[in-house]
Amino acid sequence: MSTNYKELKKGGFMRQRQPNYFSMRLKSVGGHLTAEQLGTIQSVATKFGKGYVHLTSRQGIEIPFIHLDDIDAVKKVLSEGGVQVGVCGPRVRTITACQGNSICPSGLIDTLKLAEEFDKRYGGRELPHKFKFGFTGCRNNCLKAEENDIGVKGGVKPDWHAENCTFCGVCQAVCPQKIITVDKIARSVTFDENNCLYCGKCIKSCPSDAWQGRSGFVISFGGLYGNRIAVGENFLPIIFDEDKLYKIVDAALKFFADNAKSGERFRTMLERVGRENFIDMITEAAR
């Protein structure tokens, strides 16, 4: 019986240069693996591979030198240890995330919770080409949200409370966009909200809680980082409702599935069919 390499790749087994050997991609969500899972991975790499693993650029683990004849046995051992094989090919790939606000002091959103929910909803979904989601907790952008087909970044929308303000000028000094002006004599503050990065530095630095805010999601579309590099674009205001976030993603994936040619990346499709219709549809989904 001939070997179906296409099906093997779909299931996370990528052919090596060495005949009948595969580098096996394992499933991870948001870079999160338990100690028990790591023990299983160590056991498989030792028994069936060459005693080492490869860490991918997207928070994944691959075990090289898995022989064709051992694939079924490897899957059984992994399953018993709570580890799943990953996916490749034209579908939603590994969903990446930083540690977010559950761990990081700078985090503004729960990135791991979101990555796990996205994996339940979209993980492995068949599409015209590979599709990548990435979550980063704040403007520090450790996970480089704009590299992804859809990136989600934590942000916070500032709200100034005049009754608390001492007009010290700290917010003006720390604002990276220079869109806050404090007039100490007139005891007034001006804020250009349209050019806000939602970084929250004004809120964190304010000694009197005059600046407060609500955390939400800043979404970018159409990032690429491979043979061609393109930065994902943000045209929506900050989104606060998680259900609305899923509504937006559902609309974007449908647009991709309906309009892309086979083997065409999301960004390339947007440029070919025109961004205008896509922007109109996403804007409507965000209402």
Side-chain angles (χ1 to χ4, degrees), residues 67-96:
H67 194 274
L68 177 64
D69 294 339
D70 293 329
I71 286 177
D72 289 339
V74 165
K75 286 182 176 180
K76 184 175 185 295
V77 174
L78 289 173
S79 178
E80 290 171 349
V83 180
Q84 297 180 50
V85 182
V87 297
C88 299
R91 52 196 52 86
V92 174
R93 299 289 190 85
T94 298
I95 297 171
T96 62

PDB file of all heavy atoms in Angstrom, residues 67-96:
ATOM      1  N   HIS A  67       9.911   7.295  12.650  1.00  0.00           N
ATOM      2  CA  HIS A  67       9.870   6.420  11.481  1.00  0.00           C
ATOM      3  C   HIS A  67       8.425   6.110  11.089  1.00  0.00           C
ATOM      4  O   HIS A  67       7.530   6.035  11.938  1.00  0.00           O
ATOM      5  CB  HIS A  67      10.615   5.114  11.766  1.00  0.00           C
ATOM      6  CG  HIS A  67      10.912   4.317  10.529  1.00  0.00           C
ATOM      7  ND1 HIS A  67      10.011   3.423   9.992  1.00  0.00           N
ATOM      8  CD2 HIS A  67      12.009   4.302   9.716  1.00  0.00           C
ATOM      9  CE1 HIS A  67      10.527   2.887   8.901  1.00  0.00           C
ATOM     10  NE2 HIS A  67      11.748   3.397   8.718  1.00  0.00           N
ATOM     11  N   LEU A  68       8.227   5.943   9.807  1.00  0.00           N
ATOM     12  CA  LEU A  68       6.907   5.646   9.264  1.00  0.00           C
ATOM     13  C   LEU A  68       6.253   4.463   9.985  1.00  0.00           C
ATOM     14  O   LEU A  68       5.060   4.491  10.304  1.00  0.00           O
ATOM     15  CB  LEU A  68       7.029   5.349   7.761  1.00  0.00           C
ATOM     16  CG  LEU A  68       5.751   4.947   7.023  1.00  0.00           C
ATOM     17  CD1 LEU A  68       4.732   6.084   7.035  1.00  0.00           C
ATOM     18  CD2 LEU A  68       6.083   4.545   5.581  1.00  0.00           C
ATOM     19  N   ASP A  69       7.035   3.434  10.281  1.00  0.00           N
ATOM     20  CA  ASP A  69       6.482   2.230  10.895  1.00  0.00           C
ATOM     21  C   ASP A  69       6.058   2.442  12.352  1.00  0.00           C
ATOM     22  O   ASP A  69       5.335   1.621  12.920  1.00  0.00           O
ATOM     23  CB  ASP A  69       7.507   1.087  10.838  1.00  0.00           C
ATOM     24  CG  ASP A  69       7.809   0.636   9.412  1.00  0.00           C
ATOM     25  OD1 ASP A  69       6.965   0.915   8.524  1.00  0.00           O
ATOM     26  OD2 ASP A  69       8.875   0.033   9.191  1.00  0.00           O
ATOM     27  N   ASP A  70       6.517   3.545  12.963  1.00  0.00           N
ATOM     28  CA  ASP A  70       6.233   3.787  14.384  1.00  0.00           C
ATOM     29  C   ASP A  70       5.091   4.772  14.612  1.00  0.00           C
ATOM     30  O   ASP A  70       4.740   5.057  15.775  1.00  0.00           O
ATOM     31  CB  ASP A  70       7.488   4.324  15.087  1.00  0.00           C
ATOM     32  CG  ASP A  70       8.604   3.303  15.171  1.00  0.00           C
ATOM     33  OD1 ASP A  70       8.280   2.095  15.249  1.00  0.00           O
ATOM     34  OD2 ASP A  70       9.779   3.706  15.147  1.00  0.00           O
ATOM     35  N   ILE A  71       4.513   5.310  13.552  1.00  0.00           N
ATOM     36  CA  ILE A  71       3.544   6.398  13.699  1.00  0.00           C
ATOM     37  C   ILE A  71       2.359   5.999  14.571  1.00  0.00           C
ATOM     38  O   ILE A  71       1.962   6.741  15.478  1.00  0.00           O
ATOM     39  CB  ILE A  71       3.089   6.908  12.316  1.00  0.00           C
ATOM     40  CG1 ILE A  71       4.218   7.726  11.679  1.00  0.00           C
ATOM     41  CG2 ILE A  71       1.816   7.751  12.437  1.00  0.00           C
ATOM     42  CD1 ILE A  71       3.919   8.229  10.283  1.00  0.00           C
ATOM     43  N   ASP A  72       1.771   4.847  14.321  1.00  0.00           N
ATOM     44  CA  ASP A  72       0.615   4.431  15.124  1.00  0.00           C
ATOM     45  C   ASP A  72       0.981   4.248  16.589  1.00  0.00           C
ATOM     46  O   ASP A  72       0.230   4.645  17.495  1.00  0.00           O
ATOM     47  CB  ASP A  72       0.018   3.138  14.563  1.00  0.00           C
ATOM     48  CG  ASP A  72      -0.684   3.343  13.230  1.00  0.00           C
ATOM     49  OD1 ASP A  72      -1.056   4.507  12.943  1.00  0.00           O
ATOM     50  OD2 ASP A  72      -0.851   2.365  12.488  1.00  0.00           O
ATOM     51  N   ALA A  73       2.126   3.669  16.849  1.00  0.00           N
ATOM     52  CA  ALA A  73       2.569   3.464  18.231  1.00  0.00           C
ATOM     53  C   ALA A  73       2.827   4.804  18.925  1.00  0.00           C
ATOM     54  O   ALA A  73       2.483   4.994  20.099  1.00  0.00           O
ATOM     55  CB  ALA A  73       3.829   2.597  18.262  1.00  0.00           C
ATOM     56  N   VAL A  74       3.410   5.743  18.187  1.00  0.00           N
ATOM     57  CA  VAL A  74       3.686   7.069  18.739  1.00  0.00           C
ATOM     58  C   VAL A  74       2.385   7.777  19.097  1.00  0.00           C
ATOM     59  O   VAL A  74       2.256   8.374  20.186  1.00  0.00           O
ATOM     60  CB  VAL A  74       4.503   7.907  17.724  1.00  0.00           C
ATOM     61  CG1 VAL A  74       4.491   9.378  18.110  1.00  0.00           C
ATOM     62  CG2 VAL A  74       5.936   7.398  17.653  1.00  0.00           C
ATOM     63  N   LYS A  75       1.412   7.721  18.218  1.00  0.00           N
ATOM     64  CA  LYS A  75       0.123   8.362  18.489  1.00  0.00           C
ATOM     65  C   LYS A  75      -0.521   7.790  19.747  1.00  0.00           C
ATOM     66  O   LYS A  75      -1.118   8.524  20.543  1.00  0.00           O
ATOM     67  CB  LYS A  75      -0.815   8.176  17.300  1.00  0.00           C
ATOM     68  CG  LYS A  75      -0.489   9.032  16.085  1.00  0.00           C
ATOM     69  CD  LYS A  75      -1.525   8.798  14.989  1.00  0.00           C
ATOM     70  CE  LYS A  75      -1.310   9.681  13.788  1.00  0.00           C
ATOM     71  NZ  LYS A  75      -2.325   9.439  12.727  1.00  0.00           N
ATOM     72  N   LYS A  76      -0.410   6.498  19.935  1.00  0.00           N
ATOM     73  CA  LYS A  76      -1.000   5.853  21.107  1.00  0.00           C
ATOM     74  C   LYS A  76      -0.332   6.338  22.394  1.00  0.00           C
ATOM     75  O   LYS A  76      -1.013   6.685  23.369  1.00  0.00           O
ATOM     76  CB  LYS A  76      -0.865   4.327  20.983  1.00  0.00           C
ATOM     77  CG  LYS A  76      -1.534   3.537  22.104  1.00  0.00           C
ATOM     78  CD  LYS A  76      -1.445   2.043  21.825  1.00  0.00           C
ATOM     79  CE  LYS A  76      -2.215   1.232  22.861  1.00  0.00           C
ATOM     80  NZ  LYS A  76      -1.641   1.343  24.205  1.00  0.00           N
ATOM     81  N   VAL A  77       0.986   6.387  22.399  1.00  0.00           N
ATOM     82  CA  VAL A  77       1.707   6.838  23.591  1.00  0.00           C
ATOM     83  C   VAL A  77       1.382   8.305  23.894  1.00  0.00           C
ATOM     84  O   VAL A  77       1.153   8.681  25.050  1.00  0.00           O
ATOM     85  CB  VAL A  77       3.229   6.650  23.415  1.00  0.00           C
ATOM     86  CG1 VAL A  77       3.991   7.262  24.593  1.00  0.00           C
ATOM     87  CG2 VAL A  77       3.568   5.173  23.266  1.00  0.00           C
ATOM     88  N   LEU A  78       1.346   9.131  22.852  1.00  0.00           N
ATOM     89  CA  LEU A  78       1.021  10.541  23.047  1.00  0.00           C
ATOM     90  C   LEU A  78      -0.379  10.707  23.622  1.00  0.00           C
ATOM     91  O   LEU A  78      -0.597  11.475  24.564  1.00  0.00           O
ATOM     92  CB  LEU A  78       1.126  11.296  21.716  1.00  0.00           C
ATOM     93  CG  LEU A  78       2.530  11.513  21.153  1.00  0.00           C
ATOM     94  CD1 LEU A  78       2.452  12.124  19.765  1.00  0.00           C
ATOM     95  CD2 LEU A  78       3.364  12.410  22.071  1.00  0.00           C
ATOM     96  N   SER A  79      -1.333   9.998  23.053  1.00  0.00           N
ATOM     97  CA  SER A  79      -2.717  10.107  23.511  1.00  0.00           C
ATOM     98  C   SER A  79      -2.845   9.711  24.974  1.00  0.00           C
ATOM     99  O   SER A  79      -3.546  10.376  25.757  1.00  0.00           O
ATOM    100  CB  SER A  79      -3.621   9.235  22.640  1.00  0.00           C
ATOM    101  OG  SER A  79      -4.955   9.284  23.084  1.00  0.00           O
ATOM    102  N   GLU A  80      -2.172   8.656  25.359  1.00  0.00           N
ATOM    103  CA  GLU A  80      -2.223   8.201  26.753  1.00  0.00           C
ATOM    104  C   GLU A  80      -1.614   9.230  27.700  1.00  0.00           C
ATOM    105  O   GLU A  80      -1.991   9.294  28.877  1.00  0.00           O
ATOM    106  CB  GLU A  80      -1.503   6.861  26.886  1.00  0.00           C
ATOM    107  CG  GLU A  80      -2.242   5.707  26.218  1.00  0.00           C
ATOM    108  CD  GLU A  80      -1.422   4.426  26.172  1.00  0.00           C
ATOM    109  OE1 GLU A  80      -0.203   4.506  26.477  1.00  0.00           O
ATOM    110  OE2 GLU A  80      -1.971   3.364  25.823  1.00  0.00           O
ATOM    111  N   GLY A  81      -0.688  10.059  27.184  1.00  0.00           N
ATOM    112  CA  GLY A  81      -0.050  11.092  27.999  1.00  0.00           C
ATOM    113  C   GLY A  81      -0.661  12.463  27.830  1.00  0.00           C
ATOM    114  O   GLY A  81      -0.095  13.457  28.300  1.00  0.00           O
ATOM    115  N   GLY A  82      -1.832  12.532  27.184  1.00  0.00           N
ATOM    116  CA  GLY A  82      -2.541  13.806  27.062  1.00  0.00           C
ATOM    117  C   GLY A  82      -1.966  14.763  26.048  1.00  0.00           C
ATOM    118  O   GLY A  82      -2.173  15.978  26.145  1.00  0.00           O
ATOM    119  N   VAL A  83      -1.244  14.247  25.055  1.00  0.00           N
ATOM    120  CA  VAL A  83      -0.630  15.082  24.020  1.00  0.00           C
ATOM    121  C   VAL A  83      -1.272  14.764  22.673  1.00  0.00           C
ATOM    122  O   VAL A  83      -1.450  13.596  22.329  1.00  0.00           O
ATOM    123  CB  VAL A  83       0.892  14.864  23.940  1.00  0.00           C
ATOM    124  CG1 VAL A  83       1.512  15.753  22.855  1.00  0.00           C
ATOM    125  CG2 VAL A  83       1.535  15.147  25.293  1.00  0.00           C
ATOM    126  N   GLN A  84      -1.600  15.805  21.921  1.00  0.00           N
ATOM    127  CA  GLN A  84      -2.171  15.622  20.601  1.00  0.00           C
ATOM    128  C   GLN A  84      -1.154  15.994  19.530  1.00  0.00           C
ATOM    129  O   GLN A  84      -0.296  16.861  19.738  1.00  0.00           O
ATOM    130  CB  GLN A  84      -3.406  16.498  20.423  1.00  0.00           C
ATOM    131  CG  GLN A  84      -4.552  16.182  21.366  1.00  0.00           C
ATOM    132  CD  GLN A  84      -5.733  17.092  21.117  1.00  0.00           C
ATOM    133  OE1 GLN A  84      -6.190  17.258  19.995  1.00  0.00           O
ATOM    134  NE2 GLN A  84      -6.231  17.686  22.189  1.00  0.00           N
ATOM    135  N   VAL A  85      -1.280  15.346  18.376  1.00  0.00           N
ATOM    136  CA  VAL A  85      -0.462  15.731  17.222  1.00  0.00           C
ATOM    137  C   VAL A  85      -1.062  16.986  16.607  1.00  0.00           C
ATOM    138  O   VAL A  85      -2.280  17.180  16.606  1.00  0.00           O
ATOM    139  CB  VAL A  85      -0.413  14.584  16.195  1.00  0.00           C
ATOM    140  CG1 VAL A  85       0.469  14.954  15.012  1.00  0.00           C
ATOM    141  CG2 VAL A  85       0.113  13.308  16.859  1.00  0.00           C
ATOM    142  N   GLY A  86      -0.213  17.864  16.089  1.00  0.00           N
ATOM    143  CA  GLY A  86      -0.656  19.127  15.510  1.00  0.00           C
ATOM    144  C   GLY A  86      -1.158  18.978  14.087  1.00  0.00           C
ATOM    145  O   GLY A  86      -1.403  17.866  13.597  1.00  0.00           O
ATOM    146  N   VAL A  87      -1.325  20.108  13.419  1.00  0.00           N
ATOM    147  CA  VAL A  87      -1.810  20.107  12.039  1.00  0.00           C
ATOM    148  C   VAL A  87      -0.875  20.950  11.171  1.00  0.00           C
ATOM    149  O   VAL A  87      -0.177  21.842  11.654  1.00  0.00           O
ATOM    150  CB  VAL A  87      -3.241  20.660  11.932  1.00  0.00           C
ATOM    151  CG1 VAL A  87      -4.222  19.794  12.701  1.00  0.00           C
ATOM    152  CG2 VAL A  87      -3.320  22.114  12.422  1.00  0.00           C
ATOM    153  N   CYS A  88      -0.915  20.666   9.880  1.00  0.00           N
ATOM    154  CA  CYS A  88      -0.204  21.460   8.877  1.00  0.00           C
ATOM    155  C   CYS A  88      -1.157  21.676   7.701  1.00  0.00           C
ATOM    156  O   CYS A  88      -2.319  21.280   7.746  1.00  0.00           O
ATOM    157  CB  CYS A  88       1.061  20.738   8.406  1.00  0.00           C
ATOM    158  SG  CYS A  88       2.259  20.433   9.708  1.00  0.00           S
ATOM    159  N   GLY A  89      -0.666  22.309   6.657  1.00  0.00           N
ATOM    160  CA  GLY A  89      -1.467  22.462   5.458  1.00  0.00           C
ATOM    161  C   GLY A  89      -2.462  23.610   5.526  1.00  0.00           C
ATOM    162  O   GLY A  89      -2.381  24.481   6.398  1.00  0.00           O
ATOM    163  N   PRO A  90      -3.461  23.617   4.626  1.00  0.00           N
ATOM    164  CA  PRO A  90      -4.388  24.752   4.475  1.00  0.00           C
ATOM    165  C   PRO A  90      -5.492  24.750   5.523  1.00  0.00           C
ATOM    166  O   PRO A  90      -6.640  24.389   5.252  1.00  0.00           O
ATOM    167  CB  PRO A  90      -4.945  24.541   3.063  1.00  0.00           C
ATOM    168  CG  PRO A  90      -4.915  23.065   2.873  1.00  0.00           C
ATOM    169  CD  PRO A  90      -3.685  22.588   3.583  1.00  0.00           C
ATOM    170  N   ARG A  91      -5.163  25.174   6.709  1.00  0.00           N
ATOM    171  CA  ARG A  91      -6.133  25.183   7.808  1.00  0.00           C
ATOM    172  C   ARG A  91      -5.614  26.100   8.914  1.00  0.00           C
ATOM    173  O   ARG A  91      -4.471  26.580   8.857  1.00  0.00           O
ATOM    174  CB  ARG A  91      -6.365  23.769   8.352  1.00  0.00           C
ATOM    175  CG  ARG A  91      -5.100  23.030   8.710  1.00  0.00           C
ATOM    176  CD  ARG A  91      -5.330  21.541   8.879  1.00  0.00           C
ATOM    177  NE  ARG A  91      -6.012  20.940   7.729  1.00  0.00           N
ATOM    178  CZ  ARG A  91      -5.367  20.501   6.643  1.00  0.00           C
ATOM    179  NH1 ARG A  91      -4.042  20.601   6.556  1.00  0.00           N
ATOM    180  NH2 ARG A  91      -6.036  19.978   5.652  1.00  0.00           N
ATOM    181  N   VAL A  92      -6.434  26.346   9.908  1.00  0.00           N
ATOM    182  CA  VAL A  92      -6.010  27.174  11.041  1.00  0.00           C
ATOM    183  C   VAL A  92      -4.900  26.454  11.796  1.00  0.00           C
ATOM    184  O   VAL A  92      -5.061  25.310  12.235  1.00  0.00           O
ATOM    185  CB  VAL A  92      -7.196  27.479  11.974  1.00  0.00           C
ATOM    186  CG1 VAL A  92      -6.706  28.208  13.220  1.00  0.00           C
ATOM    187  CG2 VAL A  92      -8.245  28.313  11.257  1.00  0.00           C
ATOM    188  N   ARG A  93      -3.784  27.130  11.938  1.00  0.00           N
ATOM    189  CA  ARG A  93      -2.590  26.554  12.539  1.00  0.00           C
ATOM    190  C   ARG A  93      -2.527  26.816  14.048  1.00  0.00           C
ATOM    191  O   ARG A  93      -3.466  27.361  14.646  1.00  0.00           O
ATOM    192  CB  ARG A  93      -1.355  27.133  11.854  1.00  0.00           C
ATOM    193  CG  ARG A  93      -1.259  26.838  10.350  1.00  0.00           C
ATOM    194  CD  ARG A  93      -0.958  25.380  10.078  1.00  0.00           C
ATOM    195  NE  ARG A  93      -0.628  25.137   8.687  1.00  0.00           N
ATOM    196  CZ  ARG A  93       0.582  25.275   8.141  1.00  0.00           C
ATOM    197  NH1 ARG A  93       1.599  25.663   8.896  1.00  0.00           N
ATOM    198  NH2 ARG A  93       0.782  25.017   6.865  1.00  0.00           N
ATOM    199  N   THR A  94      -1.393  26.473  14.638  1.00  0.00           N
ATOM    200  CA  THR A  94      -1.166  26.689  16.061  1.00  0.00           C
ATOM    201  C   THR A  94      -1.471  28.128  16.453  1.00  0.00           C
ATOM    202  O   THR A  94      -1.011  29.073  15.808  1.00  0.00           O
ATOM    203  CB  THR A  94       0.298  26.376  16.412  1.00  0.00           C
ATOM    204  OG1 THR A  94       0.557  24.999  16.124  1.00  0.00           O
ATOM    205  CG2 THR A  94       0.578  26.635  17.883  1.00  0.00           C
ATOM    206  N   ILE A  95      -2.241  28.297  17.506  1.00  0.00           N
ATOM    207  CA  ILE A  95      -2.624  29.629  17.981  1.00  0.00           C
ATOM    208  C   ILE A  95      -1.640  30.048  19.064  1.00  0.00           C
ATOM    209  O   ILE A  95      -1.470  29.355  20.075  1.00  0.00           O
ATOM    210  CB  ILE A  95      -4.066  29.623  18.508  1.00  0.00           C
ATOM    211  CG1 ILE A  95      -5.030  29.275  17.353  1.00  0.00           C
ATOM    212  CG2 ILE A  95      -4.417  30.963  19.123  1.00  0.00           C
ATOM    213  CD1 ILE A  95      -6.450  29.022  17.785  1.00  0.00           C
ATOM    214  N   THR A  96      -0.977  31.172  18.843  1.00  0.00           N
ATOM    215  CA  THR A  96       0.077  31.617  19.748  1.00  0.00           C
ATOM    216  C   THR A  96      -0.445  32.682  20.716  1.00  0.00           C
ATOM    217  O   THR A  96      -1.400  33.394  20.424  1.00  0.00           O
ATOM    218  CB  THR A  96       1.271  32.186  18.973  1.00  0.00           C
ATOM    219  OG1 THR A  96       0.842  33.334  18.220  1.00  0.00           O
ATOM    220  CG2 THR A  96       1.847  31.150  18.014  1.00  0.00           C
TER     221      THR A  96
END
